[in-house]
Amino acid sequence: MGKSKEAEAKLAQSEARYRALFENMNGGFVLFEVVQDDTGAPVDLTILAGNKGFERTTGLNLAEVTGRRLTEALPGIERDSADWIGTYGRVALTGEPCHFERRSDLLGRRYSVNAYRPAPNQCAVTFFDVTEARQTETERD
Protein backbone atom coordinates (compact mmCIF):
# COMPACT_ATOMS: atom_id res chain seq x y z
CA MET A 1 0.00 0.00 0.00
CA GLY A 2 1.36 3.44 -0.93
CA LYS A 3 1.83 6.21 1.60
CA SER A 4 -1.25 8.13 0.44
CA LYS A 5 -3.46 5.01 0.56
CA GLU A 6 -2.12 4.22 4.03
CA ALA A 7 -2.83 7.79 5.17
CA GLU A 8 -6.36 7.59 3.74
CA ALA A 9 -6.99 4.30 5.56
CA LYS A 10 -5.75 5.77 8.88
CA LEU A 11 -7.92 8.84 8.40
CA ALA A 12 -10.97 6.67 7.68
CA GLN A 13 -10.31 4.62 10.85
CA SER A 14 -9.94 7.78 12.90
CA GLU A 15 -13.17 9.23 11.50
CA ALA A 16 -15.03 5.97 12.22
CA ARG A 17 -13.71 5.93 15.80
CA TYR A 18 -14.80 9.52 16.46
CA ARG A 19 -18.18 8.96 14.78
CA ALA A 20 -18.79 5.97 17.10
CA LEU A 21 -17.88 8.06 20.17
CA PHE A 22 -20.09 10.89 18.99
CA GLU A 23 -23.09 8.63 18.30
CA ASN A 24 -22.81 6.75 21.60
CA MET A 25 -22.54 9.73 23.94
CA ASN A 26 -25.12 9.64 26.74
CA GLY A 27 -26.01 13.27 26.25
CA GLY A 28 -27.13 15.27 23.29
CA PHE A 29 -24.74 16.94 20.90
CA VAL A 30 -25.47 19.47 18.18
CA LEU A 31 -23.26 21.64 16.00
CA PHE A 32 -24.71 24.98 14.86
CA GLU A 33 -23.58 27.71 12.52
CA VAL A 34 -24.77 31.18 13.46
CA VAL A 35 -26.96 33.19 11.07
CA GLN A 36 -26.54 36.94 11.47
CA ASP A 37 -28.61 39.93 10.42
CA ASP A 38 -27.20 43.00 8.63
CA THR A 39 -25.87 44.39 11.91
CA GLY A 40 -24.06 41.16 12.80
CA ALA A 41 -26.52 40.13 15.52
CA PRO A 42 -27.37 36.41 15.79
CA VAL A 43 -30.89 35.80 14.44
CA ASP A 44 -30.90 32.05 13.80
CA LEU A 45 -28.78 28.91 13.85
CA THR A 46 -28.25 26.35 11.10
CA ILE A 47 -28.11 22.75 12.33
CA LEU A 48 -24.92 21.21 10.90
CA ALA A 49 -24.72 17.90 12.79
CA GLY A 50 -26.01 16.10 15.83
CA ASN A 51 -26.27 12.73 17.50
CA LYS A 52 -28.98 10.34 18.74
CA GLY A 53 -28.96 12.08 22.12
CA PHE A 54 -29.97 15.29 20.32
CA GLU A 55 -32.93 13.45 18.81
CA ARG A 56 -33.92 11.84 22.13
CA THR A 57 -33.86 15.04 24.15
CA THR A 58 -35.43 17.38 21.58
CA GLY A 59 -37.82 15.05 19.75
CA LEU A 60 -36.40 16.22 16.41
CA ASN A 61 -35.43 13.83 13.61
CA LEU A 62 -31.81 14.64 12.74
CA ALA A 63 -32.13 13.50 9.13
CA GLU A 64 -35.01 15.96 8.65
CA VAL A 65 -33.43 18.97 10.38
CA THR A 66 -29.75 18.81 9.37
CA GLY A 67 -29.01 21.78 7.13
CA ARG A 68 -32.14 23.61 8.26
CA ARG A 69 -32.47 26.64 10.47
CA LEU A 70 -33.42 26.10 14.08
CA THR A 71 -36.46 28.39 13.70
CA GLU A 72 -37.73 26.09 10.92
CA ALA A 73 -37.05 22.91 12.92
CA LEU A 74 -38.58 24.32 16.13
CA PRO A 75 -41.04 27.09 15.23
CA GLY A 76 -41.28 29.54 18.12
CA ILE A 77 -37.78 28.83 19.48
CA GLU A 78 -36.82 32.43 18.72
CA ARG A 79 -39.32 33.54 21.38
CA ASP A 80 -38.28 30.95 24.00
CA SER A 81 -37.29 32.70 27.24
CA ALA A 82 -34.09 30.60 27.30
CA ASP A 83 -32.70 32.69 24.37
CA TRP A 84 -30.92 29.73 22.76
CA ILE A 85 -30.19 31.63 19.54
CA GLY A 86 -28.68 34.62 21.34
CA THR A 87 -26.64 32.49 23.72
CA TYR A 88 -25.24 30.10 21.10
CA GLY A 89 -24.77 32.95 18.64
CA ARG A 90 -22.59 34.81 21.16
CA VAL A 91 -20.46 31.70 21.73
CA ALA A 92 -20.04 31.25 17.95
CA LEU A 93 -19.08 34.90 17.43
CA THR A 94 -16.95 35.61 20.52
CA GLY A 95 -15.38 32.21 21.13
CA GLU A 96 -16.26 32.47 24.82
CA PRO A 97 -17.47 29.06 26.05
CA CYS A 98 -20.25 28.80 28.59
CA HIS A 99 -21.87 26.30 30.93
CA PHE A 100 -25.37 26.81 32.30
CA GLU A 101 -28.64 25.16 33.23
CA ARG A 102 -31.81 26.50 31.66
CA ARG A 103 -35.43 25.55 31.02
CA SER A 104 -36.93 25.65 27.53
CA ASP A 105 -40.56 26.75 27.67
CA LEU A 106 -41.10 25.48 24.11
CA LEU A 107 -39.76 21.98 24.81
CA GLY A 108 -40.95 21.84 28.41
CA ARG A 109 -37.58 20.49 29.55
CA ARG A 110 -34.65 21.71 31.64
CA TYR A 111 -31.13 21.24 30.25
CA SER A 112 -27.59 21.31 31.59
CA VAL A 113 -25.53 22.76 28.73
CA ASN A 114 -21.90 23.20 27.69
CA ALA A 115 -21.30 25.32 24.60
CA TYR A 116 -18.03 26.18 22.86
CA ARG A 117 -16.76 27.38 19.49
CA PRO A 118 -14.95 24.69 17.46
CA ALA A 119 -14.54 26.98 14.42
CA PRO A 120 -15.40 30.58 13.53
CA ASN A 121 -19.17 31.21 13.45
CA GLN A 122 -19.93 27.76 14.88
CA CYS A 123 -21.18 26.61 18.25
CA ALA A 124 -20.90 23.02 19.50
CA VAL A 125 -23.31 22.11 22.26
CA THR A 126 -23.36 19.13 24.60
CA PHE A 127 -26.39 18.88 26.84
CA PHE A 128 -28.30 16.68 29.25
CA ASP A 129 -31.99 16.71 30.05
CA VAL A 130 -32.09 17.30 33.84
CA THR A 131 -35.84 17.86 34.14
CA GLU A 132 -36.62 14.76 36.18
CA ALA A 133 -33.57 15.17 38.44
CA ARG A 134 -34.59 18.74 39.29
CA GLN A 135 -38.21 17.71 39.92
CA THR A 136 -37.01 14.99 42.30
CA GLU A 137 -34.83 17.53 44.16
CA THR A 138 -37.76 19.91 44.48
CA GLU A 139 -40.04 17.17 45.79
CA ARG A 140 -37.45 16.20 48.44
CA ASP A 141 -37.08 19.80 49.71
Side-chain angles (χ1 to χ4, degrees):
M1 186 181 315
K3 286 206 186 261
S4 70
K5 291 283 187 198
E6 189 176 316
E8 286 177 25
K10 284 184 179 181
L11 180 60
Q13 287 175 341
S14 178
E15 287 175 356
R17 186 170 38 251
Y18 283 108
R19 172 59 62 188
L21 288 170
F22 174 73
E23 285 301 327
N24 291 295
M25 289 173 55
N26 284 335
F29 174 85
V30 63
L31 177 64
F32 292 118
E33 184 166 62
V34 67
V35 177
Q36 299 168 267
D37 66 12
D38 293 338
T39 68
V43 293
D44 211 337
L45 302 162
T46 301
I47 301 167
L48 300 179
N51 70 353
K52 290 176 185 151
F54 169 79
E55 289 185 322
R56 260 191 325 274
T57 58
T58 65
L60 296 173
N61 180 314
L62 197 55
E64 294 175 5
V65 299
T66 300
R68 293 180 57 200
R69 290 187 175 192
L70 187 60
T71 56
E72 296 169 354
L74 282 170
I77 196 71
E78 67 277 12
R79 293 182 301 279
D80 197 308
S81 64
D83 188 26
W84 304 110
I85 293 170
T87 300
Y88 298 151
R90 278 188 297 282
V91 170
L93 296 173
T94 66
E96 250 181 74
C98 62
H99 173 75
F100 58 90
E101 192 173 293
R102 197 169 292 160
R103 178 177 168 73
S104 169
D105 296 328
L106 182 67
L107 296 173
R109 312 299 295 161
R110 185 168 195 83
Y111 298 99
S112 176
V113 177
N114 282 300
Y116 64 95
R117 181 173 77 174
N121 297 323
Q122 292 185 358
C123 181
V125 182
T126 57
F127 58 98
F128 293 90
D129 181 341
V130 295
T131 308
E132 289 179 24
R134 294 303 172 255
Q135 286 173 343
T136 301
E137 286 176 6
T138 303
E139 290 167 4
R140 278 195 319 238
D141 292 340

